[in-house]
């Protein structure tokens, strides 16, 4: 949805492809990039429980343990449901904090989500 007249005007002024990208394309899509960054940064703690758990065996289980698999093994399988709940809440709070900090930084550059 970038206006093509901007590219035409830049070409008339002698701008090449790199100048088009740097001065027209990137500034036009920065709001989309920032929104994607803010929404994606919340899932940084999520490592993909399925893949890690399925590929674990007795040989690699000591080095492939992550928070979600440890929470499952000790919390759900061990019957400590409060521990599993606390670990899930901890992961969610870390994700929320990362989203809020990222939005705060983006807002400093007038690109925040809210």
């Amino acid at each position: 949805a970038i206006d093509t007249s901007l590219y035409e005007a830049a070409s008339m002024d002698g701008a090449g492809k790199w100048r088009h990208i740097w001065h027209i394309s990137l500034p036009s899509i920065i709001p989309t990039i920032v929104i994607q960054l803010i929404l994606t940064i919340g899932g940084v703690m999520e490592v993909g429980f399925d893949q890690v758990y399925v590929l674990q065996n007795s040989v690699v289980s000591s080095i492939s343990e992550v928070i979600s698999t440890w929470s499952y093994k000790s919390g759900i399988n061990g019957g400590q449901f409060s521990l599993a709940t606390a670990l899930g809440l901890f992961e969610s709070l870390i994700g929320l904090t990362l989203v809020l900090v990222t939005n705060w930084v983006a807002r400093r550059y007038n690109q925040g989500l809210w």
Side-chain angles (χ1 to χ4, degrees):
I2 301 171
D3 190 13
T4 56
S5 64
L6 294 173
Y7 292 110
E8 292 171 6
S11 294
M12 294 295 280
D13 289 340
K17 277 291 188 191
W18 289 108
R19 292 289 180 182
H20 285 178
I21 292 170
W22 189 255
H23 293 289
I24 298 171
S25 298
L26 282 178
S28 298
I29 63 172
I30 279 184
T32 305
I33 293 170
V34 169
I35 288 172
Q36 286 292 345
L37 174 69
I38 292 171
L39 294 175
T40 304
I41 203 78
V44 165
M45 292 289 288
E46 186 65 35
V47 293
F49 169 79
D50 303 342
Q51 295 171 346
V52 175
Y53 186 71
V54 167
L55 295 175
Q56 278 185 346
N57 57 32
S58 60
V59 177
V60 296
S61 65
S62 62
I63 58 172
S64 66
E65 198 75 54
V66 293
I67 291 176
S68 55
T69 57
W70 185 75
S71 169
Y72 175 74
K73 287 179 183 176
S74 62
I76 305 297
N77 286 344
Q80 299 177 339
F81 301 114
S82 59
L83 177 67
T85 304
L87 286 172
L89 180 64
F90 173 74
E91 278 188 277
S92 298
L93 288 176
I94 294 295
L96 175 66
T97 304
L98 288 173
V99 166
L100 292 175
V101 166
T102 306
N103 187 56
W104 178 77
V105 169
R107 205 172 49 224
R108 293 291 218 181
Y109 294 102
N110 296 325
Q111 297 291 329
L113 192 55
W114 61 87

